Amino acid sequence: CSESDLGPISLNWFEELSAEAPP
Amino acid sequence: DVAEQLTPDGPREESLQLVSELKDPWCSCPVDVGTVWWAAAGHRELRVVTASESAVSLWQPLAPDCWGKVYTWHLTELPVIQIVPLPDTCNLVCVALGELEIGEIRLLLYSETDSFKHSLVKTGNIKAVVGLKDQRLVSSSRTMQEQQVEMVLLSETGGSKDRQTLMPPEETVTAFAEVEGMREALVGTTAGNSVVVWNLKTGQLLRKMHIGYSYPASICHRAYSDSGLLFVVLSHPHAKESESCGSPAFRVVAFNPRSGRSTGVMFSCLPPGRAGRRGDVWDTAGAAVLTSGAVAVWDLLRGHCTAVLPPGPAGHWALARWAAGGAGLLAGHRDGTVHLYRY
């Protein structure tokens, strides 16, 4: 699967989503 | 791969080697089988657990091919529905009980002072439950008004040390799966056919990602995080057979949690002409009982069906569960016979 199919990939997705999600 | 599966000399039972058999003459209607780590007299060993509707039995290895029953817990108020595996937990057996759906979760345990006993962990209309590493148990339950998703930290004596509420999605959670290598991440599937991701430390619901309409009522079994993607093993108990793909048993789907987009990575289908499945996943191996009474085993990373156990002289297989720690596959007959296979 390529990045174009799945959108921008981040290795730190878990930390980033935790910082953005409502507490 | 598909050609290999379609040949009449396709997968047989060669990759499964029978190690031992255990037979409970008093268990006429087994509902589940599993394994548990048991520490006693200074060493730890893997024991087998069998469950009927009214009793759960613990089996100890007596010799390389011989098992003896150590103890039976009798549960008379509600029928046992399933054994809930607790990875890396010792001397605790977790069971779900109920009528049509799970009404309570109990721990069955042994302590030096109290001998064998059981304790209540959770009650309610429980829709899904999973045991996680470090003695954690997560369940979803529903009232008319709302859904509760809760993680319980279990104590070694069978009580609950702590409870953490997780933010519920709007749709009912139908299954949970731990994320390999990420202690604080948990995934679930929902009745609306989405995959959801939680942060177990904070209880936050991080993401909801739709699986697609082709495979309704998907159930998650396991997840792996790698290279910024979340690979989720899903089974599809109700998917229709298609000409191009056959009948899907398991799929590995890669989700990008940042964008919410997904793509199918690997596809494991049922052997030709077979239907129905109730699946279990350990590491990268899947196993399921088919409605024909056979057990099929897949290498999920390659999409190969690697073994089929045909129904034996004792009749149809009813149960297939992976043993803890890579110890093999447990397959159970309706008459209470359980075979342990090395895989």
Side-chain angles (χ1 to χ4, degrees), chain A residues 1 4-11 13-14 16-18 20-23, chain B residues 182 184-185 198-199 204 206 225 227-229 256-259 261-263:
Chain A
C1 45
S4 58
D5 295 331
L6 292 166
I9 290 168
S10 168
L11 295 178
W13 64 267
F14 187 75
E16 291 169 9
L17 293 179
S18 297
E20 294 165 16
Chain B
M182 289 185 77
E184 303 303 344
W198 287 275
N199 181 330
Q204 290 165 293
L206 299 182
S225 179
S227 307
L229 296 175
N256 178 358
R258 276 270 37 149
S259 66
R261 294 189 207 165
S262 66
T263 185

Side-chain angles (χ1 to χ4, degrees), chain B residues 312-323:
Chain B
H316 287 194
W317 295 108
L319 303 162
R321 294 277 184 273
W322 293 105

